Amino acid sequence: MLALLASAALLASPALATTHNSLYSPNNYEFEPLEHLAGIAPYFDPQDPPLDPAPPQGCSVTRAAYLVRHAAIYANDFDYESYIEPFVQKLANTSADFSASPELSFLKSWKSPIADDDEEKLTKIGTLEAMSLGVELGRRYPGFKLPRKMWASTAERTVKSAQALMSGLDHRGNETQLVQIYESEESGADSLTPYKACPAYSSSRGSEQSSTFQKKYTKPILARFKAAVPGFNWTASDIYGMQQLCGYESVIKGASPFCSLSLFTPNEWLAFEYTNDIMYHHNTGYGNPISPVLGWPWVNASVAALFSDSPSAQDLYVSFTHRELPPTVLVALGLFNNSAASASNDANATMPLSQINHRRAWKSSNILSFLTNVAIEKMSCDSYGFADAGNEFYRVIVNNSPQPLDACADGPGESCARATFENWIQERADRYGDFSRECGVTYQNSTDALSIY
Ligand SMILES: *[C@@H]1O[C@H](CO)[C@@H](O)[C@H](O)[C@H]1NC(C)=O
Ligand SMILES: *[C@@H]1O[C@H](CO)[C@@H](O)[C@H](O)[C@H]1NC(C)=O
Ligand SMILES: *[C@@H]1O[C@H](CO)[C@@H](O)[C@H](O)[C@H]1NC(C)=O
Ligand SMILES: *[C@@H]1O[C@H](CO)[C@@H](O)[C@H](O)[C@H]1NC(C)=O
Ligand SMILES: *[C@@H]1O[C@H](CO)[C@@H](O)[C@H](O)[C@H]1NC(C)=O
Ligand SMILES: *[C@@H]1O[C@H](CO)[C@@H](O)[C@H](O)[C@H]1NC(C)=O
Ligand SMILES: *[C@@H]1O[C@H](CO)[C@@H](O)[C@H](O)[C@H]1NC(C)=O
């Protein structure tokens, strides 16, 4: 009897529900579209890989450098002008009858939450999430001195994200000064937007490949919508814009009818995500040889700040940028590499345009959501079990998940010992440290290093 009661209690426990064992809860398939929206995903901790974020046994973090994408915005200019606005206008002009379709009937009365001058502005929820990340950093590093400076590129959304994070971290409100770094097209590597100063980088790269997959996955959705509401001239761009609206409307209002799983199925959300992943793969990922060169300067400057003996070194460095930079930093660090441990390096073959590679490591939702953050931490450890490696170790954390570096994981919790890390960094510096030459810079006074810290 007692055993029965105990197992009944277990059945009701949420922990067990996530084991997806059908004996204990049938039909327990769960799916959250908000975690598959690529660059429009609200901030979340993907637990990819599911390693414990707590410092390993005997270790404490003594210094950290963060790169943070700005928080949630009303809409990105390009998304708005290419997909959302045309759909919204068409909707405003249409005489099509949506009422016959249970899934689409909300469009009769739905109004766009994005006004023309809202584009690129932080939403209230985005501002709150940035502040909350500031609170979280304070909790994560209770022994740290408040930073004297933080850095942000000059766009309003990066500056306001930094101010919100500061308000969550600095309880006195006057300890941290925000330094704005101009988004120059002639800065060389010395900015938080180095891709803008790199002629070899093109912002449209990857759109051709992603549109191939977009056409493919939207076809059956178009057929379904045309059958349901024949009077609306449905296009693939409408479908894509509606899926984007799930993300934007959610970060504006907290919920969106476009996220409904009866409007788009889980598989269709995964296809939307993959379309984006293909684009980012070719744009700022392993499919673009310039990616690690763009991410390198931040890595190098951050490692230098963590190594520094200067009395003016800060415990915490935080810099704000746009969606392009964090993925290039991850490539410079060799993380989320679909080819890792495969003994081959055919990056494009891992992102086929004919079908989804569900086993890919490169999932943009996990690495460039709003407020996505990449950190390098310096740790002091009592070396218990790692005495040969000294007591100084380094690790990378992406959205609160530790990321072991390839061939640099000889420390506690798969962190990397100082000596190993120095060699590893030097080897990557040799490969990726030549910004001006690799970018084909033609303007004067370019530089290969980020020197803002
Ligand atoms: C909708 O109507 C407005 C005003 O008549 C017009 O300017 C606009 O081009 C129309 N849009 C579409 C997509 O038909
Ligand atoms: C912030 O204000 C407090 C209280 O007025 C003061 O003691 C402290 O020195 C100020 N800090 C800075 C960095 O100005
Ligand atoms: C339907 O949309 C396509 C693509 O935007 C456009 O070329 C076509 O003229 C539209 N047809 C009607 C009947 O509005
Ligand atoms: C991957 O595709 C891109 C085109 O976006 C090409 O420039 C690049 O060289 C390809 N990479 C490899 C390893 O073939
Ligand atoms: C990705 O992994 C492959 C296979 O191990 C490796 O050859 C390649 O250098 C890695 N790419 C980067 C940028 O680290
Ligand atoms: C790394 O940063 C240091 C310190 O700012 C700088 O002197 C050096 O040139 C940089 N090296 C590379 C390869 O980026
Ligand atoms: C490059 O730097 C030199 C020396 O500081 C300066 O005189 C020159 O105006 C700069 N050139 C440009 C194009 O900024």
Side-chain angles (χ1 to χ4, degrees), residues 63-79:
R63 221 179 263 183
Y66 275 75
L67 182 68
V68 187
R69 183 188 171 206
H70 62 75
I73 53 173
Y74 278 84
N76 156 282
D77 279 332
F78 180 81
D79 292 347

Side-chain angles (χ1 to χ4, degrees), residues 48-72:
D48 174 28
L51 289 170
D52 185 354
Q57 160 185 299
C59 298
S60 62
V61 179
T62 54
R63 221 179 263 183
Y66 275 75
L67 182 68
V68 187
R69 183 188 171 206
H70 62 75

Side-chain angles (χ1 to χ4, degrees), residues 313-348:
Q314 303 189 171
D315 289 347
L316 179 63
Y317 292 83
V318 186
S319 290
F320 283 82
T321 182
H322 299 274
R323 73 173 80 183
E324 289 86 348
L325 197 58
T328 64
V329 162
L330 297 176
V331 177
L333 292 168
L335 296 171
F336 302 94
N337 182 348
N338 291 341
S339 314
S342 72
S344 109
N345 189 20
D346 189 351
N348 294 335

Side-chain angles (χ1 to χ4, degrees), residues 86 89-90 93:
Q89 283 194 355
K90 226 161 98 179
N93 291 1

